[in-house]
Each structure stands twice: as structure tokens, then as C-alpha cells.
Amino acid sequence: NEDSRGTTTLSLGFSDALPEDLKQVVIEVDSITFRRTGVEDVTVDNFTIPALGLTAVDTFQVNLLQYRGRNQLVVITDLELESGTYSQLQVRVLGGDVNRSYVQQADDTLRELSVSGGVLTLPGASFARSNQAYTVEFSLAQSLQSQASDNRYIMSAEGIRLENNATAASLSGRVDSSLFDSV
């Protein structure tokens, strides 16, 4: 029963699950755009990220392997948006240069990381009139693909999702070891 008129205050973080045999998966983000039908897009292209020691920068780099599971890098804080349904979230990633976005393999080899069209386009969300926190979960095991033919990696939006932190589920607990110790 939340009101969809007015404004919302949004925080957005980045997080990921662990892919195998990689030391770093670094992306350089240029902008984040919230798209809504019939209303002008809201584009964030200036970032202040205290966790990275950054203030009012045009782009930022993040090693996604440092932010797994509940651990996330908050890249937008207290952004005021009009409440309502946003059709897409677009993350513009700078690629085409191993100094911008790259993958460091287990043998320390650096390989270029590219995003098709330079933009990861995710389904949007409905933002109610309240404080809300969301996370872009990258799921690199699904979204990152090695291209052996040209010695680079490609990241697609497949597997990447936008999660509402208030409703996202997590599971924790203990399992009796006797369940695994039997033949």
C-alpha cells in the first residue's frame, strides 16, 4: 500500500558472486541511467564514493570480486527520484582498453573486458515514496564470457539483476555434519 506519487530517496550498490580462477574483474562505470516512459531519463554521471576515496568524479573503477554477496559497494547515495515505475536501469561501462575494464586471470594475465554497445541494460523497478536501497547483482558466472578467439572477455546483461535490498532473500544456518559423513 505504498504511494507511487511524490519522490523516493534511493541508494544503489554493486555486488557479485565468485567466478572461478579469476583474481580481478574490474569495470569502469561512466554513468547510470534510470529510464521511465513519458518522463525524462535520470542520469547519474558524477560519483562520490567514500569507500573508494572518490569525490565528484566522472567515472569510477570497481573490482567486482571485492564485493560478493551481502558485501556491496554503494555507488549512489540519497538520489532523489520521482516515485513510480522505471522501465530500465542502464549502466554505461567504458571498455576497449585494458586500462579501463579488464579481467585479471589466475596467472596474472590481464585481458580486456567489453560490454556490447557499452551499456548493460537491466529491467527497471517500481520505486515507492520512501527511502529504498537496491543492489545490482552482477552474477559473473553467468554474465562474463571468455572469448578465446580474440583474447578478451565480454560482459552481457544476462544474469545481472536489480534487487531490492528490503525484499531480497538470504539464507544462513548450520547443517549437521552427520548428514554428509555417511556413505
Side-chain angles (χ1 to χ4, degrees):
N1 193 22
E2 295 179 349
D3 189 354
S4 64
R5 291 169 292 173
T7 62
T8 186
T9 304
L10 177 74
S11 293
L12 180 71
F14 284 6
S15 175
D16 187 51
L18 175 67
E20 297 179 22
D21 298 330
L22 300 179
K23 288 186 175 179
Q24 293 188 82
V25 176
V26 176
I27 61 171
E28 185 168 346
V29 176
D30 182 49
S31 65
I32 299 172
T33 301
F34 298 87
R35 302 202 73 189
R36 186 171 175 198
T37 305
V39 178
E40 189 173 328
D41 294 347
V42 175
T43 299
V44 177
D45 56 6
N46 190 282
F47 302 92
T48 296
I49 306 172
L52 296 179
L54 302 174
T55 304
V57 296
D58 293 333
T59 68
F60 67 93
Q61 286 183 315
V62 56
N63 177 4
L64 295 172
L65 297 184
Q66 290 181 332
Y67 302 96
R68 299 182 188 127
R70 288 183 172 185
N71 186 18
Q72 64 174 289
L73 174 67
V74 178
V75 298
I76 297 174
T77 305
D78 298 332
L79 173 66
E80 193 170 297
L81 290 174
E82 288 295 322
S83 300
T85 301
Y86 287 76
S87 59
Q88 294 179 342
L89 173 74
Q90 296 180 330
V91 180
R92 180 166 296 285
V93 176
L94 299 176
D97 182 346
V98 75
N99 295 311
R100 291 190 176 271
S101 298
Y102 60 89
V103 173
Q104 181 181 12
Q105 299 180 135
D107 65 359
D108 291 329
T109 304
L110 295 181
R111 291 175 58 189
E112 178 187 322
L113 178 109
S114 297
V115 171
S116 181
V119 177
L120 296 169
T121 300
L122 311 177
S126 292
F127 300 127
R129 192 175 70 188
S130 64
N131 289 346
Q132 298 190 11
Y134 279 75
T135 300
V136 175
E137 175 64 46
F138 281 84
S139 297
L140 291 176
Q142 295 174 333
S143 64
L144 191 63
Q145 301 164 6
S146 176
Q147 301 292 307
S149 61
D150 56 4
N151 210 26
R152 67 181 175 133
Y153 282 85
I154 294 184
M155 182 180 285
S156 70
E158 183 177 325
I160 301 176
R161 62 192 180 278
L162 182 62
E163 293 183 353
N164 183 336
N165 293 0
T167 60
S170 66
L171 178 65
S172 65
R174 293 187 168 172
V175 176
D176 186 349
S177 63
S178 67
L179 295 171
F180 299 102
D181 291 341
S182 64
V183 177

